[in-house]
């Protein structure tokens, strides 16, 4: 455990030095506070912030994550020359990436939420958005770590990260839309539900939407979603699936790290 | 019965006119019960009911031209067991009563005040509370229902009736009533030529206003608010709906105003705000939809392809998730001279009309109308990109519905 905290501290110090994370947190702070400032109520702010979170959080986690892992490569190699368990080293290194990323988001968006939440409704939606943002940060940081560990070429690695971002935020939904149009004659509600679970970005979006009354616009599908995700158990399942989206890439990255010949 | 009525009516015409007298119902007076006073009343008399609680078998007014008037809000209590008041004569006035508590029955449509086979009744300024049906006009022609407060606390559609219910009652005027918590706030069936103005209908279990097979009716300056399914009007001709407010009907099967099989009519100057669907047109043709405000709805207008030759003009669309949606690329309704907050065109000749046509139906809205499950992508970044793509490649946008003269400034 000592190693974990040591590596984590080193990672945090490294991140503190380059001020990216502070700027990221400040950015969210300004956007969120600005949305409240321009007369937004809780649900409106959650809805406006949703698209920012869905686009920006995965992008930053992926690009920043891959760059960070590449940059700390020599540091890791140096430590691996010492008698250090690889597992602990990996955990320390990952936490050094995921904690600042999710923490920056949580602080940046969370402070205005906490400040204004007493002023209006939509607490559930804001909380869901916060949970979704943190989960997306961790999940995409894990994916970034995995990509960087798989790919030696930095350019290729960052490119791959961008491709993953494009795929999860846009292409996947395009595919879903195509499928919905192509198989429109079939009862698609449940398959689509499964498809939503297959992409952390969609899952996060649906999780937040079911906390807002816009889900009424989704008609029958929305009703099914609401019944599936809107209840306590459903929300739990959605959050658990999001957690799985954090754990699965993390496990892949850990395995890669264990076996990798540095 | 009707022969007796006619005889009575004839008698009143033939007999020398007597001065109308007041019969006072009071706990300590000559008439202890309303029934007794009504039995003694002659045409033209007034029965004055003083404050108190009256628990009597269903009260029937069978004498024409009688006025039943409460002083100090007397309570007519149905004790959860029976209909309270039945008007079965022409030209009767009922005023100033508290009519309550018919209880729920699945066998008969119990009503607080029922007008049955009578003409020209006037039901005004009553408080009608916790009844299955509030005020029920049954084959009652040319009646006026005015300034009543109809309140129920029904919990489901099955155990509550309608607030003001008209059945085969032509020429009615429904004015300035306040209806809350009933199944349908105001209900018209087979009742043509009615005028409904200035009412507030809210928190209904089903529809705030519901009418079917009622031609040539007018609905003006009413407020329909937070009704479970909004307002539904069906199978009628020549309907005028103007200057009403349709507010906050929100839910997967809720509509601000649902029109089905309406032929010819005018929807003018209304405000639709905060509804999951503002106005829904299905099989409704030759309607003028003009000068309305559509604000903050999920869909401002859903115009299905089987709604032919409906004309939208001078409307204001702002803050809606979807402005217009349709289920086909070949819809035949027209849009002309509306204001759209999503319009990004320009006006070089400064005539107040945009030089670029506006297509209110986005590609995503069309896909969603044809394949409802695609709605899972609501608020997805991909949809924003789709909208942007439509600006770059206009060929993607459904041509079906187009506003060739979009306004540059909001009309109001």
């Amino acid at each position: 455990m000592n190693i974990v905290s040591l590596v984590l501290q080193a990672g945090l110090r490294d991140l503190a030095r380059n001020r990216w994370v502070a700027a990221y947190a400040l950015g969210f702070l300004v956007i969120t506070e600005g949305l409240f400032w321009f007369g937004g109520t809780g649900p409106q702010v959650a809805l406006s912030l949703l698209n920012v979170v869905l686009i920006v959080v995965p992008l930053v986690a992926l690009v920043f994550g891959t760059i960070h892992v590449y940059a700390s490569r020599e540091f890791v190699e140096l430590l691996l020359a010492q008698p250090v368990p690889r597992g602990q080293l990996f955990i320390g290194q990952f936490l050094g990436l995921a904690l600042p990323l999710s923490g920056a988001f949580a602080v940046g968006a969370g402070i205005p939420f906490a400040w204004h939440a007493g002023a209006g409704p939509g607490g559930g939606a804001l909380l869901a958005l916060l949970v979704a943002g943190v989960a997306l940060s961790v999940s995409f940081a894990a994916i970034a770590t995995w990509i960087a560990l798989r790919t030696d070429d930095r350019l290729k690695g960052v490119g791959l990260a961008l491709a993953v971002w494009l795929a999860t935020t846009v292409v996947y939904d395009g595919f879903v839309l195509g499928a919905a149009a192509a198989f429109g004659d079939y009862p698609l509600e449940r398959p689509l539900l499964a498809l939503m679970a297959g992409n952390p970005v969609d899952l996060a979006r649906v999780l937040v939407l079911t906390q807002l009354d816009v889900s009424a616009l989704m008609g029958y599908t929305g009703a099914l979603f609401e019944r599936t995700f809107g209840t306590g158990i459903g929300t739990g399942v959605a959050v658990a699936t999001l957690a799985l989206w954090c754990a699965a890439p993390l496990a892949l990255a850990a395995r890669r790290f264990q076996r990798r010949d540095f | 019965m009707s022969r007796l009525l006619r005889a009575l009516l004839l008698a009143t015409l033939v007999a020398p006119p007597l001065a109308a007298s007041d019969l006072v119902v009071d706990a300590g007076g000559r008439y202890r019960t309303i029934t007794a006073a009504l039995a003694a009343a002659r045409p033209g008399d007034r029965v004055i009911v003083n404050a108190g609680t009256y628990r009597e078998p269903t009260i029937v007014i069978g004498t024409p031209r009688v006025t039943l008037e409460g002083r100090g809000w007397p309570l007519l209590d149905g004790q959860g067991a029976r209909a309270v008041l039945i008007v079965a004569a022409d030209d009767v006035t009922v005023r100033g009563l508290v009519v309550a508590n018919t209880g729920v029955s699945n066998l008969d449509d119990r009503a607080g005040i029922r007008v049955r086979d009578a003409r020209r009744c006037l039901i005004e300024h009553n408080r009608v509370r916790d009844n299955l049906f509030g005020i029920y006009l049954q084959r009652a022609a040319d009646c006026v229902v005015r300034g009543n407060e109809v309140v129920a606390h029904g919990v489901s559609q099955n155990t509550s009736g309608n607030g003001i219910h008209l059945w085969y009652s032509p020429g009615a005027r429904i004015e300035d009533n306040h209806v809350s918590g009933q199944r349908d706030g105001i209900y018209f069936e087979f009742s043509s030529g009615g005028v409904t103005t200035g009412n507030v209908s809210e928190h209904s279990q089903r529809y705030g206003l519901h009418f079917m097979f009622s031609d040539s009716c007018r609905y003006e300056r009413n407020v329909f608010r937070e009704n479970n399914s909004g307002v539904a009007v069906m199978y009628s001709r020549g309907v005028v709906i103007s200057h009403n407010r349709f507010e906050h009907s929100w839910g997967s099967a809720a509509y601000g105003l649902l029109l089905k099989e309406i032929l010819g009519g005018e929807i003018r100057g209304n405000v639709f705000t905060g509804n999951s669907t503002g106005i829904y047109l299905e099989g409704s043709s030759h309607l003028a939809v003009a000068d309305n405000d559509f604000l903050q709805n999920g869909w401002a207008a859903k115009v299905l392809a089987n709604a032919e030759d409906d004309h939208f003009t001078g409307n204001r669309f702002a803050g809606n998730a979807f402005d217009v949606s349709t289920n086909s690329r070949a819809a035949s309704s027209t849009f002309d001279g509306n204001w759209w907050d999503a319009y990004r065109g320009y006006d070089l000749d400064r005539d107040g009309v945009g030089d670029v046509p506006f297509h209110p139906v986005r590609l995503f809205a069309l896909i969603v109308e044809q394949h409802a499950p695609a709605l899972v992508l609501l608020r997805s970044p991909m949809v924003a990109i789709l909208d942007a793509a439509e600006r770059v490649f206009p060929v993607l946008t459904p041509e079906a519905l187009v506003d060739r003269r979009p306004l540059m400034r909001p009309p109001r």
Side-chain angles (χ1 to χ4, degrees), chain A residues 21-179:
Chain A
V21 175
Y24 180 57
L26 196 69
F28 265 109
L29 189 76
V30 168
I31 291 171
T32 315
E33 184 59 36
L35 287 174
F36 275 113
W37 185 260
F38 288 110
T41 60
Q44 287 173 331
V45 171
L47 206 52
S48 310
L49 205 57
L50 178 62
N51 264 331
V52 180
V53 171
L54 293 183
I55 294 171
V56 170
V57 167
L59 179 65
V60 169
L62 280 167
V63 173
F64 187 76
T66 41
I67 291 173
H68 175 78
V69 171
Y70 283 128
S72 59
R73 179 83 164 267
E74 286 167 5
F75 172 67
V76 171
E77 281 174 2
L78 176 73
L79 281 185
L80 282 178
Q82 318 295 321
V84 171
R86 280 197 171 194
Q88 292 192 17
L89 180 55
F90 175 77
I91 293 170
Q93 202 204 2
F94 178 71
L95 286 180
L97 171 66
L99 277 186
L101 271 179
S102 52
F105 167 77
V107 168
I111 287 178
F113 284 2
W115 183 254
H116 294 278
L126 293 177
L127 187 67
L129 189 62
L130 215 56
V131 169
V134 168
L136 284 181
S137 302
V138 175
S139 174
F140 280 94
I143 293 173
T145 310
W146 183 49
I147 289 172
L149 289 172
R150 278 181 57 102
T151 322
D152 278 330
D153 186 343
R154 289 173 184 223
L155 207 59
K156 226 189 240 172
V158 175
L160 197 57
L162 283 174
V164 167
W165 174 71
L166 209 61
T168 48
T169 49
V170 180
V171 177
Y172 189 87
D173 284 357
F175 165 71
V176 171
L177 189 66

Side-chain angles (χ1 to χ4, degrees), chain A residues 51 173 192 205 213 217 225, chain B residues 250 299 373 375-376 378-380:
Chain A
N51 264 331
D173 284 357
L192 281 183
R205 180 171 54 79
D213 51 7
L217 297 186
F225 269 55
Chain B
W250 194 267
W299 283 268
L375 266 174
V376 292
L378 191 68
R379 301 275 163 187
S380 159

Side-chain angles (χ1 to χ4, degrees), chain B residues 349-392:
Chain B
D349 51 6
R350 305 238 167 245
D351 60 351
V353 174
D355 299 348
V356 186
F358 179 69
H359 296 88
V361 184
R362 316 305 306 175
L363 182 57
F364 182 58
L366 181 66
I367 294 174
V368 157
E369 198 57 44
Q370 290 170 341
H371 311 286
L375 266 174
V376 292
L377 297 174
L378 191 68
R379 301 275 163 187
S380 159
M382 199 275 305
V383 172
I385 289 174
L386 207 60
D387 282 351
E390 284 180 59
R391 277 187 203 113
V392 183

